[in-house]
Amino acid sequence: QTSSGFLGSYVSSLNGPPESLAKRRVGTGASVVLSVGAEELMTEQSNSEQIASEIDASSIDLLFHRSSRLDSAAIEHFVRELCQVSKEELEPELEPRVFSLSRLLDVADTNMDRVRLVWSKIWRVLSEHFTMAAMHPNTGVSLHALDALRQLAMRFLDKVEISGFHFQREFM
């Protein structure tokens, strides 16, 4: 079902056992749940590993660092989508991934010097996500989210714009 060129809802197939369901990202950013066989899952895994092995880690770092070059609408969208990816990575309670959560910290730090209106829109999305992550049942994830918030608070208090307000640092 599409709406204005975007996939408007999840499409799920109930054929096969639950372990044969795979979530895929499509070009519009929507997720689709499809029924796939074990062979197709193995192919997907192999393809993912091949692509990952050919991507230079410094290129990934550059992607997040250069988010400061995005315009206002693009950075808001980028942060929203990265939060969604992070949320999906945190879903498994026993083995959650914190890669995107860590990258959200990088993006927030890189974009903190934006115009206040834009930063407040970004922060609204980030704070909701970090709060959700801080309440995660996995203690490691919770501590990671709290540490990210601590780092952001310290960075924010170090900004030249508010450096004259020493009471804020003492209060923190």
Side-chain angles (χ1 to χ4, degrees), residues 10-11 17 25 41 45 50-52 67-69 81 100 110 131 136 140 160:
Y10 285 106
V11 178
R25 297 297 250 173
L41 284 175
Q45 182 67 29
Q50 178 66 29
I51 290 169
S67 66
S68 62
R69 296 181 182 180
E81 293 302 316
S100 295
T110 301
T131 301
H136 196 277
V160 175

Side-chain angles (χ1 to χ4, degrees), residues 1-2 7-14 21-22 31-35:
Q1 190 177 45
T2 60
L7 196 57
S9 64
Y10 285 106
V11 178
S12 63
S13 171
L14 300 177
L21 296 178
S31 294
V32 179
V33 179
L34 301 171
S35 177

Side-chain angles (χ1 to χ4, degrees), residues 143-155:
L143 292 174
H144 191 83
L146 290 172
D147 185 56
L149 287 170
R150 181 194 58 78
Q151 290 179 51
L152 285 173
M154 295 305 294
R155 169 74 166 86

Side-chain angles (χ1 to χ4, degrees), residues 7 34 38 41-42 61 64 81 85 96 101 108 119 142 158 162:
L7 196 57
L34 301 171
L41 284 175
M42 293 296 290
D61 292 339
F64 295 103
E81 293 302 316
V85 171
L101 187 63
W119 171 248
S142 296
D158 285 341
I162 62 171

Side-chain angles (χ1 to χ4, degrees), residues 25-108:
R25 297 297 250 173
V26 293
T28 60
S31 294
V32 179
V33 179
L34 301 171
S35 177
V36 295
E39 185 177 322
E40 188 174 7
L41 284 175
M42 293 296 290
T43 301
E44 289 286 329
Q45 182 67 29
S46 175
N47 289 342
S48 297
E49 289 170 2
Q50 178 66 29
I51 290 169
S53 71
E54 294 183 19
I55 296 175
D56 181 26
S58 63
S59 296
I60 294 172
D61 292 339
L62 202 54
L63 170 77
F64 295 103
H65 181 68
R66 288 191 177 165
S67 66
S68 62
R69 296 181 182 180
L70 296 172
D71 65 33
S72 300
I75 188 62
E76 290 173 40
H77 182 73
F78 183 72
V79 167
R80 224 177 292 112
E81 293 302 316
L82 188 54
C83 283
Q84 181 59 38
V85 171
S86 177
K87 183 178 178 181
E88 290 175 12
E89 287 181 350
L90 297 176
E91 281 178 2
E93 280 187 37
L94 296 177
E95 294 184 34
R97 292 190 50 184
V98 293
F99 175 80
S100 295
L101 187 63
S102 298
R103 292 313 181 145
L104 282 166
L105 173 62
D106 297 340
V107 170

